[in-house]
Amino acid sequence: MSIGTLHLGNHKSRSPSVVSGVWKMMGLLELFVLAAAFNYVFASTEVCTNALLPGAKGDQGEIGEEGDQGKLGKNGPPGLPGVPGETGLKGEVGHAGKTGPEGDKGDKGDLGLEGPCGFKGKPGTTCDCGRYRKVVGQLDVSIGKLRNAVKFVKNVIMGLRETEERYYLLVKEAKKFRDASMNCKLRGGALGMPKTNNTNRLMADYVSQAGLTRVYIGVQAQSVDTGGTSAYVYADTSPLQGFAAWSQEVELNSKLSPSTNSSCVELLSTGTWGHVECEATLFFICEFPKSSRRGGGGGGGASVSVSF
């Protein structure tokens, strides 16, 4: 514009139309110059800004000194279970514990071996028969009282039952048939064998009065030939003859041979017999024979050397 002003100052004598045309040309020239400058600035690939551009990556610096220990963090989750360790050494024997309760009384042991003979005694003196007869008479009286006391103990306290020939004891120890038979033998008897109707009734009442329903008796099946045929016999191996108290159910199946598992016999409180497995555990009745006492002085009596 300074150039245009100077140019106009030198040509003041020109006409107004000419001046006006010159001014228009100058305006167009300025617009052209401004447009060119604007286009140059914006067409440039470099942008001038005040921001600092990052330079190239430098070399790695030296490792610094170890810092102070940080604060203790929170407890982490529990880890997985470890592998079981080896079995440790066996420890020392501990102190003896308290004494336990007293156990049940065991069965009577077997009879021991006969001991050696004793030394020969001194010769006896002359017998004063009169005085000794009096002593024997007093002993007979005492024996009679003792016999009554023993009978009271057997019938009332021990609950024994008896016939003219045998005593019967109900053993309230549940055992298998084989163990029950052995128990009676160790006591000096055998499993009860009801060979008559009276004996069977006595044993059945014995069971009923004790509040029981069934017990083992001394009757069992036994094979008689290789074909598997079996027959029932008593505990003393004598065959059933003349008496048997089978229940109606058993009699209906009497044609069938008794099976191995049910080859033993039980006595019911009703007085009937039934099959039972020999491995079953039941109470049982033992019988003991009465033996006649030998010798004079006081008459005949009955005694039995058994273990109840």
PDB file of all heavy atoms in Angstrom, residues 172-205:
ATOM      1  N   LYS A 172     -28.392-119.363  79.961  1.00  0.00           N
ATOM      2  CA  LYS A 172     -28.754-118.136  79.250  1.00  0.00           C
ATOM      3  C   LYS A 172     -27.507-117.472  78.678  1.00  0.00           C
ATOM      4  O   LYS A 172     -27.147-116.346  79.020  1.00  0.00           O
ATOM      5  CB  LYS A 172     -29.507-117.183  80.170  1.00  0.00           C
ATOM      6  CG  LYS A 172     -30.852-117.726  80.622  1.00  0.00           C
ATOM      7  CD  LYS A 172     -31.588-116.739  81.506  1.00  0.00           C
ATOM      8  CE  LYS A 172     -32.945-117.277  81.941  1.00  0.00           C
ATOM      9  NZ  LYS A 172     -33.673-116.317  82.794  1.00  0.00           N
ATOM     10  N   GLU A 173     -26.849-118.202  77.801  1.00  0.00           N
ATOM     11  CA  GLU A 173     -25.695-117.692  77.063  1.00  0.00           C
ATOM     12  C   GLU A 173     -25.906-118.058  75.595  1.00  0.00           C
ATOM     13  O   GLU A 173     -25.892-119.234  75.239  1.00  0.00           O
ATOM     14  CB  GLU A 173     -24.386-118.306  77.563  1.00  0.00           C
ATOM     15  CG  GLU A 173     -24.069-117.977  79.018  1.00  0.00           C
ATOM     16  CD  GLU A 173     -22.801-118.681  79.475  1.00  0.00           C
ATOM     17  OE1 GLU A 173     -22.066-119.211  78.618  1.00  0.00           O
ATOM     18  OE2 GLU A 173     -22.534-118.697  80.694  1.00  0.00           O
ATOM     19  N   ALA A 174     -26.140-117.051  74.765  1.00  0.00           N
ATOM     20  CA  ALA A 174     -26.427-117.308  73.351  1.00  0.00           C
ATOM     21  C   ALA A 174     -25.178-117.855  72.654  1.00  0.00           C
ATOM     22  O   ALA A 174     -24.134-117.204  72.632  1.00  0.00           O
ATOM     23  CB  ALA A 174     -26.901-116.029  72.662  1.00  0.00           C
ATOM     24  N   LYS A 175     -25.295-119.066  72.120  1.00  0.00           N
ATOM     25  CA  LYS A 175     -24.177-119.706  71.430  1.00  0.00           C
ATOM     26  C   LYS A 175     -24.680-120.458  70.202  1.00  0.00           C
ATOM     27  O   LYS A 175     -25.866-120.772  70.102  1.00  0.00           O
ATOM     28  CB  LYS A 175     -23.443-120.682  72.362  1.00  0.00           C
ATOM     29  CG  LYS A 175     -22.738-120.019  73.545  1.00  0.00           C
ATOM     30  CD  LYS A 175     -21.988-121.043  74.386  1.00  0.00           C
ATOM     31  CE  LYS A 175     -21.298-120.395  75.572  1.00  0.00           C
ATOM     32  NZ  LYS A 175     -20.226-119.470  75.121  1.00  0.00           N
ATOM     33  N   LYS A 176     -23.756-120.723  69.276  1.00  0.00           N
ATOM     34  CA  LYS A 176     -24.073-121.598  68.159  1.00  0.00           C
ATOM     35  C   LYS A 176     -24.241-123.026  68.664  1.00  0.00           C
ATOM     36  O   LYS A 176     -23.808-123.355  69.773  1.00  0.00           O
ATOM     37  CB  LYS A 176     -22.962-121.532  67.108  1.00  0.00           C
ATOM     38  CG  LYS A 176     -22.753-120.144  66.513  1.00  0.00           C
ATOM     39  CD  LYS A 176     -21.608-120.146  65.519  1.00  0.00           C
ATOM     40  CE  LYS A 176     -21.371-118.754  64.968  1.00  0.00           C
ATOM     41  NZ  LYS A 176     -20.231-118.710  64.019  1.00  0.00           N
ATOM     42  N   PHE A 177     -24.850-123.896  67.843  1.00  0.00           N
ATOM     43  CA  PHE A 177     -25.163-125.247  68.293  1.00  0.00           C
ATOM     44  C   PHE A 177     -23.904-125.989  68.731  1.00  0.00           C
ATOM     45  O   PHE A 177     -23.879-126.613  69.793  1.00  0.00           O
ATOM     46  CB  PHE A 177     -25.857-126.016  67.157  1.00  0.00           C
ATOM     47  CG  PHE A 177     -26.256-127.410  67.542  1.00  0.00           C
ATOM     48  CD1 PHE A 177     -27.487-127.659  68.151  1.00  0.00           C
ATOM     49  CD2 PHE A 177     -25.403-128.487  67.310  1.00  0.00           C
ATOM     50  CE1 PHE A 177     -27.855-128.945  68.507  1.00  0.00           C
ATOM     51  CE2 PHE A 177     -25.769-129.772  67.668  1.00  0.00           C
ATOM     52  CZ  PHE A 177     -26.980-130.005  68.266  1.00  0.00           C
ATOM     53  N   ARG A 178     -22.858-125.905  67.941  1.00  0.00           N
ATOM     54  CA  ARG A 178     -21.629-126.635  68.259  1.00  0.00           C
ATOM     55  C   ARG A 178     -21.024-126.132  69.575  1.00  0.00           C
ATOM     56  O   ARG A 178     -20.592-126.923  70.419  1.00  0.00           O
ATOM     57  CB  ARG A 178     -20.625-126.473  67.114  1.00  0.00           C
ATOM     58  CG  ARG A 178     -19.366-127.325  67.265  1.00  0.00           C
ATOM     59  CD  ARG A 178     -18.407-127.054  66.102  1.00  0.00           C
ATOM     60  NE  ARG A 178     -17.254-127.926  66.141  1.00  0.00           N
ATOM     61  CZ  ARG A 178     -17.193-129.119  65.584  1.00  0.00           C
ATOM     62  NH1 ARG A 178     -18.249-129.574  64.927  1.00  0.00           N
ATOM     63  NH2 ARG A 178     -16.109-129.867  65.666  1.00  0.00           N
ATOM     64  N   ASP A 179     -21.008-124.797  69.757  1.00  0.00           N
ATOM     65  CA  ASP A 179     -20.457-124.228  70.983  1.00  0.00           C
ATOM     66  C   ASP A 179     -21.328-124.567  72.185  1.00  0.00           C
ATOM     67  O   ASP A 179     -20.823-124.793  73.295  1.00  0.00           O
ATOM     68  CB  ASP A 179     -20.335-122.715  70.837  1.00  0.00           C
ATOM     69  CG  ASP A 179     -19.350-122.326  69.747  1.00  0.00           C
ATOM     70  OD1 ASP A 179     -18.435-123.139  69.468  1.00  0.00           O
ATOM     71  OD2 ASP A 179     -19.493-121.226  69.189  1.00  0.00           O
ATOM     72  N   ALA A 180     -22.651-124.605  71.989  1.00  0.00           N
ATOM     73  CA  ALA A 180     -23.556-124.957  73.081  1.00  0.00           C
ATOM     74  C   ALA A 180     -23.328-126.402  73.524  1.00  0.00           C
ATOM     75  O   ALA A 180     -23.295-126.710  74.722  1.00  0.00           O
ATOM     76  CB  ALA A 180     -25.004-124.754  72.650  1.00  0.00           C
ATOM     77  N   SER A 181     -23.160-127.303  72.560  1.00  0.00           N
ATOM     78  CA  SER A 181     -22.910-128.697  72.891  1.00  0.00           C
ATOM     79  C   SER A 181     -21.599-128.849  73.664  1.00  0.00           C
ATOM     80  O   SER A 181     -21.522-129.581  74.657  1.00  0.00           O
ATOM     81  CB  SER A 181     -22.861-129.532  71.604  1.00  0.00           C
ATOM     82  OG  SER A 181     -22.584-130.892  71.888  1.00  0.00           O
ATOM     83  N   MET A 182     -20.561-128.129  73.246  1.00  0.00           N
ATOM     84  CA  MET A 182     -19.280-128.196  73.935  1.00  0.00           C
ATOM     85  C   MET A 182     -19.378-127.615  75.340  1.00  0.00           C
ATOM     86  O   MET A 182     -18.771-128.129  76.285  1.00  0.00           O
ATOM     87  CB  MET A 182     -18.229-127.428  73.120  1.00  0.00           C
ATOM     88  CG  MET A 182     -16.832-127.459  73.727  1.00  0.00           C
ATOM     89  SD  MET A 182     -16.192-129.142  73.913  1.00  0.00           S
ATOM     90  CE  MET A 182     -16.037-129.594  72.182  1.00  0.00           C
ATOM     91  N   ASN A 183     -20.176-126.546  75.498  1.00  0.00           N
ATOM     92  CA  ASN A 183     -20.342-125.933  76.817  1.00  0.00           C
ATOM     93  C   ASN A 183     -20.972-126.912  77.795  1.00  0.00           C
ATOM     94  O   ASN A 183     -20.559-127.010  78.957  1.00  0.00           O
ATOM     95  CB  ASN A 183     -21.198-124.669  76.679  1.00  0.00           C
ATOM     96  CG  ASN A 183     -21.293-123.880  77.966  1.00  0.00           C
ATOM     97  OD1 ASN A 183     -22.100-124.196  78.840  1.00  0.00           O
ATOM     98  ND2 ASN A 183     -20.473-122.854  78.091  1.00  0.00           N
ATOM     99  N   CYS A 184     -21.987-127.643  77.334  1.00  0.00           N
ATOM    100  CA  CYS A 184     -22.625-128.630  78.214  1.00  0.00           C
ATOM    101  C   CYS A 184     -21.643-129.743  78.583  1.00  0.00           C
ATOM    102  O   CYS A 184     -21.618-130.219  79.731  1.00  0.00           O
ATOM    103  CB  CYS A 184     -23.864-129.215  77.538  1.00  0.00           C
ATOM    104  SG  CYS A 184     -25.262-128.070  77.384  1.00  0.00           S
ATOM    105  N   LYS A 185     -20.803-130.169  77.630  1.00  0.00           N
ATOM    106  CA  LYS A 185     -19.831-131.223  77.915  1.00  0.00           C
ATOM    107  C   LYS A 185     -18.812-130.759  78.951  1.00  0.00           C
ATOM    108  O   LYS A 185     -18.409-131.521  79.836  1.00  0.00           O
ATOM    109  CB  LYS A 185     -19.130-131.649  76.625  1.00  0.00           C
ATOM    110  CG  LYS A 185     -20.022-132.419  75.666  1.00  0.00           C
ATOM    111  CD  LYS A 185     -19.270-132.827  74.407  1.00  0.00           C
ATOM    112  CE  LYS A 185     -20.168-133.607  73.451  1.00  0.00           C
ATOM    113  NZ  LYS A 185     -19.449-133.992  72.199  1.00  0.00           N
ATOM    114  N   LEU A 186     -18.381-129.499  78.831  1.00  0.00           N
ATOM    115  CA  LEU A 186     -17.430-128.967  79.802  1.00  0.00           C
ATOM    116  C   LEU A 186     -18.042-128.866  81.200  1.00  0.00           C
ATOM    117  O   LEU A 186     -17.327-128.908  82.198  1.00  0.00           O
ATOM    118  CB  LEU A 186     -16.941-127.584  79.346  1.00  0.00           C
ATOM    119  CG  LEU A 186     -16.069-127.560  78.075  1.00  0.00           C
ATOM    120  CD1 LEU A 186     -15.742-126.131  77.674  1.00  0.00           C
ATOM    121  CD2 LEU A 186     -14.779-128.349  78.310  1.00  0.00           C
ATOM    122  N   ARG A 187     -19.351-128.727  81.277  1.00  0.00           N
ATOM    123  CA  ARG A 187     -20.028-128.693  82.569  1.00  0.00           C
ATOM    124  C   ARG A 187     -20.247-130.088  83.138  1.00  0.00           C
ATOM    125  O   ARG A 187     -20.730-130.236  84.257  1.00  0.00           O
ATOM    126  CB  ARG A 187     -21.377-127.977  82.431  1.00  0.00           C
ATOM    127  CG  ARG A 187     -21.286-126.502  82.091  1.00  0.00           C
ATOM    128  CD  ARG A 187     -22.656-125.924  81.783  1.00  0.00           C
ATOM    129  NE  ARG A 187     -22.594-124.526  81.380  1.00  0.00           N
ATOM    130  CZ  ARG A 187     -22.704-123.488  82.213  1.00  0.00           C
ATOM    131  NH1 ARG A 187     -22.892-123.712  83.512  1.00  0.00           N
ATOM    132  NH2 ARG A 187     -22.629-122.259  81.776  1.00  0.00           N
ATOM    133  N   GLY A 188     -19.963-131.118  82.339  1.00  0.00           N
ATOM    134  CA  GLY A 188     -20.147-132.479  82.805  1.00  0.00           C
ATOM    135  C   GLY A 188     -21.426-133.130  82.326  1.00  0.00           C
ATOM    136  O   GLY A 188     -21.818-134.184  82.845  1.00  0.00           O
ATOM    137  N   GLY A 189     -22.107-132.527  81.348  1.00  0.00           N
ATOM    138  CA  GLY A 189     -23.368-133.079  80.857  1.00  0.00           C
ATOM    139  C   GLY A 189     -23.420-133.085  79.345  1.00  0.00           C
ATOM    140  O   GLY A 189     -22.417-133.244  78.670  1.00  0.00           O
ATOM    141  N   ALA A 190     -24.618-132.885  78.813  1.00  0.00           N
ATOM    142  CA  ALA A 190     -24.834-132.856  77.365  1.00  0.00           C
ATOM    143  C   ALA A 190     -26.053-131.983  77.098  1.00  0.00           C
ATOM    144  O   ALA A 190     -26.789-131.607  78.030  1.00  0.00           O
ATOM    145  CB  ALA A 190     -25.053-134.262  76.821  1.00  0.00           C
ATOM    146  N   LEU A 191     -26.244-131.617  75.820  1.00  0.00           N
ATOM    147  CA  LEU A 191     -27.455-130.872  75.473  1.00  0.00           C
ATOM    148  C   LEU A 191     -28.691-131.693  75.833  1.00  0.00           C
ATOM    149  O   LEU A 191     -28.711-132.924  75.674  1.00  0.00           O
ATOM    150  CB  LEU A 191     -27.469-130.566  73.976  1.00  0.00           C
ATOM    151  CG  LEU A 191     -26.706-129.300  73.527  1.00  0.00           C
ATOM    152  CD1 LEU A 191     -26.723-129.196  72.009  1.00  0.00           C
ATOM    153  CD2 LEU A 191     -27.313-128.046  74.141  1.00  0.00           C
ATOM    154  N   GLY A 192     -29.707-131.003  76.342  1.00  0.00           N
ATOM    155  CA  GLY A 192     -30.902-131.689  76.797  1.00  0.00           C
ATOM    156  C   GLY A 192     -31.576-132.504  75.701  1.00  0.00           C
ATOM    157  O   GLY A 192     -31.784-132.009  74.589  1.00  0.00           O
ATOM    158  N   MET A 193     -31.935-133.749  76.023  1.00  0.00           N
ATOM    159  CA  MET A 193     -32.547-134.665  75.044  1.00  0.00           C
ATOM    160  C   MET A 193     -33.923-135.092  75.549  1.00  0.00           C
ATOM    161  O   MET A 193     -34.035-135.977  76.402  1.00  0.00           O
ATOM    162  CB  MET A 193     -31.641-135.891  74.840  1.00  0.00           C
ATOM    163  CG  MET A 193     -30.300-135.559  74.208  1.00  0.00           C
ATOM    164  SD  MET A 193     -29.153-136.958  74.175  1.00  0.00           S
ATOM    165  CE  MET A 193     -28.552-136.932  75.868  1.00  0.00           C
ATOM    166  N   PRO A 194     -34.985-134.463  75.070  1.00  0.00           N
ATOM    167  CA  PRO A 194     -36.344-134.829  75.494  1.00  0.00           C
ATOM    168  C   PRO A 194     -36.803-136.123  74.819  1.00  0.00           C
ATOM    169  O   PRO A 194     -37.425-136.096  73.758  1.00  0.00           O
ATOM    170  CB  PRO A 194     -37.180-133.631  75.052  1.00  0.00           C
ATOM    171  CG  PRO A 194     -36.431-133.052  73.890  1.00  0.00           C
ATOM    172  CD  PRO A 194     -34.990-133.298  74.151  1.00  0.00           C
ATOM    173  N   LYS A 195     -36.531-137.254  75.453  1.00  0.00           N
ATOM    174  CA  LYS A 195     -36.840-138.550  74.839  1.00  0.00           C
ATOM    175  C   LYS A 195     -38.229-139.058  75.198  1.00  0.00           C
ATOM    176  O   LYS A 195     -38.672-140.072  74.656  1.00  0.00           O
ATOM    177  CB  LYS A 195     -35.790-139.583  75.259  1.00  0.00           C
ATOM    178  CG  LYS A 195     -34.391-139.271  74.744  1.00  0.00           C
ATOM    179  CD  LYS A 195     -33.401-140.367  75.098  1.00  0.00           C
ATOM    180  CE  LYS A 195     -32.026-140.087  74.525  1.00  0.00           C
ATOM    181  NZ  LYS A 195     -31.038-141.158  74.820  1.00  0.00           N
ATOM    182  N   THR A 196     -38.901-138.376  76.118  1.00  0.00           N
ATOM    183  CA  THR A 196     -40.271-138.755  76.477  1.00  0.00           C
ATOM    184  C   THR A 196     -41.145-137.508  76.480  1.00  0.00           C
ATOM    185  O   THR A 196     -40.649-136.379  76.538  1.00  0.00           O
ATOM    186  CB  THR A 196     -40.327-139.428  77.855  1.00  0.00           C
ATOM    187  OG1 THR A 196     -39.940-138.474  78.848  1.00  0.00           O
ATOM    188  CG2 THR A 196     -39.401-140.636  77.916  1.00  0.00           C
ATOM    189  N   ASN A 197     -42.440-137.751  76.458  1.00  0.00           N
ATOM    190  CA  ASN A 197     -43.370-136.635  76.457  1.00  0.00           C
ATOM    191  C   ASN A 197     -43.275-135.843  77.764  1.00  0.00           C
ATOM    192  O   ASN A 197     -43.335-134.606  77.767  1.00  0.00           O
ATOM    193  CB  ASN A 197     -44.797-137.146  76.252  1.00  0.00           C
ATOM    194  CG  ASN A 197     -45.799-136.011  76.141  1.00  0.00           C
ATOM    195  OD1 ASN A 197     -45.587-135.069  75.391  1.00  0.00           O
ATOM    196  ND2 ASN A 197     -46.875-136.094  76.912  1.00  0.00           N
ATOM    197  N   ASN A 198     -43.101-136.532  78.903  1.00  0.00           N
ATOM    198  CA  ASN A 198     -42.997-135.846  80.188  1.00  0.00           C
ATOM    199  C   ASN A 198     -41.749-134.966  80.247  1.00  0.00           C
ATOM    200  O   ASN A 198     -41.798-133.818  80.721  1.00  0.00           O
ATOM    201  CB  ASN A 198     -42.971-136.864  81.330  1.00  0.00           C
ATOM    202  CG  ASN A 198     -44.298-137.584  81.493  1.00  0.00           C
ATOM    203  OD1 ASN A 198     -45.344-137.065  81.077  1.00  0.00           O
ATOM    204  ND2 ASN A 198     -44.284-138.780  82.072  1.00  0.00           N
ATOM    205  N   THR A 199     -40.637-135.517  79.773  1.00  0.00           N
ATOM    206  CA  THR A 199     -39.406-134.726  79.765  1.00  0.00           C
ATOM    207  C   THR A 199     -39.530-133.531  78.829  1.00  0.00           C
ATOM    208  O   THR A 199     -39.086-132.414  79.145  1.00  0.00           O
ATOM    209  CB  THR A 199     -38.214-135.595  79.330  1.00  0.00           C
ATOM    210  OG1 THR A 199     -38.115-136.724  80.191  1.00  0.00           O
ATOM    211  CG2 THR A 199     -36.919-134.805  79.378  1.00  0.00           C
ATOM    212  N   ASN A 200     -40.160-133.730  77.695  1.00  0.00           N
ATOM    213  CA  ASN A 200     -40.349-132.640  76.736  1.00  0.00           C
ATOM    214  C   ASN A 200     -41.220-131.542  77.327  1.00  0.00           C
ATOM    215  O   ASN A 200     -40.940-130.344  77.176  1.00  0.00           O
ATOM    216  CB  ASN A 200     -40.977-133.180  75.457  1.00  0.00           C
ATOM    217  CG  ASN A 200     -40.977-132.168  74.328  1.00  0.00           C
ATOM    218  OD1 ASN A 200     -39.951-131.904  73.708  1.00  0.00           O
ATOM    219  ND2 ASN A 200     -42.139-131.583  74.052  1.00  0.00           N
ATOM    220  N   ARG A 201     -42.273-131.941  78.048  1.00  0.00           N
ATOM    221  CA  ARG A 201     -43.155-130.969  78.675  1.00  0.00           C
ATOM    222  C   ARG A 201     -42.443-130.199  79.779  1.00  0.00           C
ATOM    223  O   ARG A 201     -42.607-128.985  79.928  1.00  0.00           O
ATOM    224  CB  ARG A 201     -44.367-131.708  79.253  1.00  0.00           C
ATOM    225  CG  ARG A 201     -45.471-130.821  79.807  1.00  0.00           C
ATOM    226  CD  ARG A 201     -46.185-130.101  78.670  1.00  0.00           C
ATOM    227  NE  ARG A 201     -45.658-128.752  78.460  1.00  0.00           N
ATOM    228  CZ  ARG A 201     -45.907-128.025  77.395  1.00  0.00           C
ATOM    229  NH1 ARG A 201     -46.631-128.506  76.403  1.00  0.00           N
ATOM    230  NH2 ARG A 201     -45.403-126.810  77.268  1.00  0.00           N
ATOM    231  N   LEU A 202     -41.615-130.896  80.567  1.00  0.00           N
ATOM    232  CA  LEU A 202     -40.854-130.242  81.637  1.00  0.00           C
ATOM    233  C   LEU A 202     -39.889-129.196  81.067  1.00  0.00           C
ATOM    234  O   LEU A 202     -39.796-128.065  81.572  1.00  0.00           O
ATOM    235  CB  LEU A 202     -40.086-131.299  82.437  1.00  0.00           C
ATOM    236  CG  LEU A 202     -39.231-130.798  83.605  1.00  0.00           C
ATOM    237  CD1 LEU A 202     -39.292-131.789  84.765  1.00  0.00           C
ATOM    238  CD2 LEU A 202     -37.777-130.600  83.189  1.00  0.00           C
ATOM    239  N   MET A 203     -39.210-129.558  79.973  1.00  0.00           N
ATOM    240  CA  MET A 203     -38.267-128.625  79.372  1.00  0.00           C
ATOM    241  C   MET A 203     -38.982-127.437  78.735  1.00  0.00           C
ATOM    242  O   MET A 203     -38.520-126.289  78.816  1.00  0.00           O
ATOM    243  CB  MET A 203     -37.413-129.360  78.339  1.00  0.00           C
ATOM    244  CG  MET A 203     -36.494-130.420  78.944  1.00  0.00           C
ATOM    245  SD  MET A 203     -35.615-131.421  77.697  1.00  0.00           S
ATOM    246  CE  MET A 203     -34.577-130.191  76.943  1.00  0.00           C
ATOM    247  N   ALA A 204     -40.123-127.675  78.103  1.00  0.00           N
ATOM    248  CA  ALA A 204     -40.881-126.589  77.485  1.00  0.00           C
ATOM    249  C   ALA A 204     -41.394-125.615  78.545  1.00  0.00           C
ATOM    250  O   ALA A 204     -41.340-124.381  78.359  1.00  0.00           O
ATOM    251  CB  ALA A 204     -42.031-127.156  76.669  1.00  0.00           C
ATOM    252  N   ASP A 205     -41.897-126.142  79.673  1.00  0.00           N
ATOM    253  CA  ASP A 205     -42.347-125.268  80.765  1.00  0.00           C
ATOM    254  C   ASP A 205     -41.178-124.477  81.342  1.00  0.00           C
ATOM    255  O   ASP A 205     -41.326-123.312  81.740  1.00  0.00           O
ATOM    256  CB  ASP A 205     -43.007-126.107  81.861  1.00  0.00           C
ATOM    257  CG  ASP A 205     -44.324-126.717  81.410  1.00  0.00           C
ATOM    258  OD1 ASP A 205     -44.906-126.211  80.415  1.00  0.00           O
ATOM    259  OD2 ASP A 205     -44.774-127.689  82.045  1.00  0.00           O
TER     260      ASP A 205
END
